[in-house]
Amino acid sequence: MQNPKEIAGRRAAEFVEHGMTVGLGTGSTVHFTLVRLAERVKEGLALRGVPTSIDTERKAREWGIPLATLDEVAAIDLTIDGADEIDREFQMIKGGGGALLREKVVAALSRREVIVVGEDKLVTRLGTTFALPIEVVPFARGPVERRLCALGAEVVVRAREGRTYTTDNGNLILDCRFAAGIANARALERELAGVPGIVESGLFIDLAHVLVVGKQDGTCEVRHKA
Ligand code: 5RP
């Protein structure tokens, strides 16, 4: 049986056209996009990739995908990225891999954002299957945690292998569970943006344009935002 992540990841790489500047997302689904893009580069495709994490940058370099920084590009034609949850309106939770800040910067600069997921990431309400990651400067962890609790979240400071997790930007991630999910993602995103010490939240509102869903039966569905 084919892996739904591989089906979606490879399919999305076909959206890239010769000469494009391409935002390169992060995660195990985009991994397959990078593999396919590397194949296409070897076949003669010209592109400049803007990586959203150190992990993606390392893979792209290793596999021969040409890279550029945000300082070097005027615009991003297309970004391909994963998601932890995506709803019917293409609103998302991202940041499972800890790259939400750079991913959101790149998404906001992109003409088109293509999201690659397995069908298990489709939800009717955000926050029901995945905790919302929030990137916070270490100095402000205490007050931000208290504020998030007051907003109804159960907060866990992300750790990996017994150590506090640090993002590529030197910050912490607070993973927030809301008992009944997130009723109004747009309002919550706005509220979080106003909290000093929060660098970014994993709520991605109105940033996705195309959704590529890999399925267990080996097929792939491409949906465009209405
Ligand atoms: C990283 C992300 C990823 O795109 C998201 O976690 C999905 O990852 P995967 O494709 O491995 O399930 O937001 O910060």
Side-chain angles (χ1 to χ4, degrees), residues 5 26-29 81-84 94-100 103 121:
K5 291 185 183 209
T26 296
S28 56
T29 315
D81 204 349
D84 300 301
K94 287 182 49 53
L100 60 123
E103 289 173 335
K121 304 289 185 73

Side-chain angles (χ1 to χ4, degrees), residues 5 25-31 52 81-85 93-101 103 116-118 120-121 130 133 158 165 204:
K5 291 185 183 209
T26 296
S28 56
T29 315
V30 165
H31 169 92
T52 55
D81 204 349
D84 300 301
E85 286 186 346
I93 285 183
K94 287 182 49 53
L100 60 123
L101 173 58
E103 289 173 335
V116 288
V117 295
D120 57 313
K121 304 289 185 73
F130 203 85
R158 188 177 292 183
Y165 174 85
F204 280 51

Side-chain angles (χ1 to χ4, degrees), residues 171-213:
N171 296 315
L172 308 176
I173 297 279
L174 304 183
D175 286 308
C176 300
R177 287 202 180 275
F178 294 86
I182 298 168
N184 187 336
R186 188 183 298 277
L188 180 60
E189 202 230 2
R190 236 181 272 131
E191 173 134 24
L192 295 172
V195 177
I198 290 182
V199 184
E200 197 49 84
S201 87
L203 283 170
F204 280 51
I205 305 297
D206 296 341
L207 289 171
H209 305 101
V210 181
L211 173 61
V212 181
V213 186

Side-chain angles (χ1 to χ4, degrees), residues 8-19:
R10 288 184 71 87
R11 171 68 182 83
E14 305 309 319
F15 285 94
V16 176
E17 292 169 16
H18 197 72

